[in-house]
Amino acid sequence: MIILGIESSCDETAIALVKNGTELIAHNIHSQTKLHREFGGVVPELASRQHVESIHPLLIKTLEEGKLSLNDIDAVAVTQGPGLEGALLVGITTAKNIAFLLNKPLIAVNHLVGHIYAHYLTDTPPKFPYMALLVSGGHTQLVHCIDHGKYELVSATRDDACGEAFDKVAKLLGLGYPGGPVIEKLAKEGNQTAFKFPIALPASLEFSFSGLKTAVLQTVKNTPNYKAADVAASFQYCVIQTLLKKSLKACNEYKCNRLVLCGGVVANRTLVQSFQDTCSKKTIHCHSLQPVLSTDNAAMIASAAFFNQEHLLEKKQLNTLSPKPSFQL
Ligand code: KG4
Ligand code: ZN
């Protein structure tokens, strides 16, 4: 079964062709980073307009690379949310048109579930049950994954998402957008113990990153001649320790020995290395991802659609997208 995946929830337009949920035939991502950089964050209206310009050429390119025509596709999968409304609308409208014209099923996918399914495109997809740590620009969650279509939300952030904290700290250090990659690069030159930032809600599985952001701001204000690399390294260290502590606690509480890392922040190799080192000592199997599959892409959307189709809408309803995601965390 070949699924055409479409993703446009934020600042990446992405198209993918995936066979049987696991085999990546072709995929392309158009990142809008350059467009939004001068504003220090994603400007929703600009994002929507750019999606409109990018989506069609990207579709043609992906079909050409996959040596397929639209007629070879069995179903169309699209990110239904969460995301920027105008941006989502571009992908959803494109997907609806293709599905309608070809009379093919249309499968609506929750973006967060999509991030988890990026792992089914790797050589070692995780076996159920597992604990997923989902860390992106908009969300930070621990999700207990019991089976396809059976996800239990364990905890989430009370305020800022983890990726958002990277972006805001980078902004206050004057490092530009997006913050994650620049903080990670600068942190390599810094001392991670130079500043001691606190882990929020240490006894809880819930997350909170707004206090950390304020702590970084106060440190910068009160430390003349601070070294930005030291701040970046200490901040990143605190984030990694926070995520590690809560993920291990969740694995312990849910008696899970498989931890699955997903979402854009997992592009951070320092984070992945810390998780792998710690998990190996605790006999927890840690699944990580290559950066291109951890940040937003359409292959994960097609994969999630394949594995969850029976849990989604009835076939007759597939061509209607309700305002609510067809399955939610
Ligand atoms: O999953 P994603 O591509 O989009 C959302 O669904 O939000 O995640 C984007 C987030 C941004 O906040 C970005 O700063 C962060 O992922 N990110 C990173 C790194 N690369 C991207 N955070 C830390 N280290 C990185 N190397
Ligand atoms: Zn995402």
Side-chain angles (χ1 to χ4, degrees):
M1 182 184 200
I2 295 174
I3 298 187
L4 171 73
I6 300 181
E7 156 66 39
S8 70
S9 63
C10 191
D11 60 342
E12 263 102 22
T13 322
I15 303 279
L17 291 162
V18 175
K19 190 174 174 188
N20 296 335
T22 56
E23 202 183 309
L24 194 49
I25 300 171
H27 82 132
N28 282 292
I29 303 166
H30 177 266
S31 169
Q32 303 178 1
T33 304
K34 279 192 194 138
L35 175 70
H36 301 290
R37 189 167 281 148
E38 65 172 293
F39 305 102
V42 180
V43 182
E45 182 57 24
L46 290 182
S48 315
R49 286 167 191 240
Q50 186 59 57
H51 284 307
V52 172
E53 282 187 26
S54 309
I55 203 157
H56 191 234
L58 216 57
L59 172 66
I60 304 294
K61 189 171 174 226
T62 310
L63 287 167
E64 279 173 5
E65 285 175 8
K67 298 188 175 46
L68 294 174
S69 81
L70 281 177
N71 286 319
D72 300 316
I73 292 158
D74 297 297
V76 184
V78 64
T79 299
Q80 188 178 14
L84 303 170
E85 282 186 21
L88 286 165
L89 208 57
V90 179
I92 291 172
T93 309
T94 308
K96 273 188 153 181
N97 281 328
I98 297 171
F100 179 73
L101 289 172
L102 301 173
N103 195 24
K104 301 278 160 94
L106 175 63
I107 306 172
V109 176
N110 178 300
H111 181 79
L112 306 180
V113 175
H115 270 301
I116 297 172
Y117 277 81
H119 283 271
Y120 292 80
L121 294 150
T122 67
D123 294 337
T124 51
K127 290 194 177 69
F128 291 109
Y130 55 83
M131 188 62 66
L133 171 68
L134 205 159
V135 271
S136 71
H139 295 83
T140 303
Q141 299 184 339
L142 279 161
V143 184
H144 187 217
C145 301
I146 301 150
D147 202 345
H148 297 302
K150 277 193 187 170
Y151 320 108
E152 191 184 348
L153 181 62
V154 172
S155 65
T157 178
R158 285 195 189 174
D159 39 58
D160 290 359
C162 185
E164 196 182 349
F166 270 94
D167 295 336
K168 286 179 177 167
V169 166
K171 195 171 182 178
L172 74 89
L173 291 174
L175 300 175
Y177 174 86
V182 274
I183 295 249
E184 182 182 14
K185 193 162 170 240
L186 187 62
K188 290 193 201 317
E189 298 157 24
N191 172 8
Q192 66 183 21
T193 57
F195 301 101
K196 188 157 171 41
F197 295 123
I199 292 183
L201 309 169
S204 163
L205 290 176
E206 277 186 289
F207 299 91
S208 166
F209 290 105
S210 70
L212 172 60
K213 189 182 62 190
T214 310
V216 173
L217 180 65
Q218 292 305 329
T219 302
V220 166
K221 272 190 181 165
N222 300 328
T223 317
N225 305 324
Y226 68 87
K227 220 177 126 198
D230 287 346
V231 179
S234 305
F235 160 77
Q236 180 176 269
Y237 178 73
C238 176
V239 171
I240 295 173
Q241 292 311 308
T242 304
L243 298 175
L244 252 176
K245 191 180 165 83
K246 289 170 193 275
S247 303
L248 294 178
K249 189 172 161 63
C251 283
N252 188 31
E253 285 185 18
Y254 283 75
K255 309 228 174 321
C256 226
N257 65 358
R258 273 182 287 271
L259 182 60
V260 172
L261 308 179
C262 21
V265 179
V266 174
N268 189 306
R269 296 294 96 183
T270 317
L271 179 149
V272 169
Q273 195 58 51
S274 303
F275 267 79
Q276 276 168 349
D277 292 348
T278 311
C279 287
S280 65
K281 288 184 205 131
K282 302 210 177 273
T283 60
I284 290 178
H285 191 97
C286 177
H287 290 258
S288 58
L289 282 172
Q290 42 169 317
V292 69
L293 284 177
S294 59
T295 49
D296 287 351
N297 64 84
M300 66 187 198
I301 301 304
S303 179
F306 176 82
F307 286 107
N308 289 279
Q309 46 187 318
E310 61 195 88
H311 306 287
L312 293 167
L313 308 168
E314 291 294 320
K315 216 166 184 162
K316 58 180 176 346
Q317 292 178 304
L318 280 172
N319 277 315
T320 58
L321 282 174
S322 66
K324 278 191 180 171
S326 43
F327 52 100
Q328 267 181 310
L329 288 175

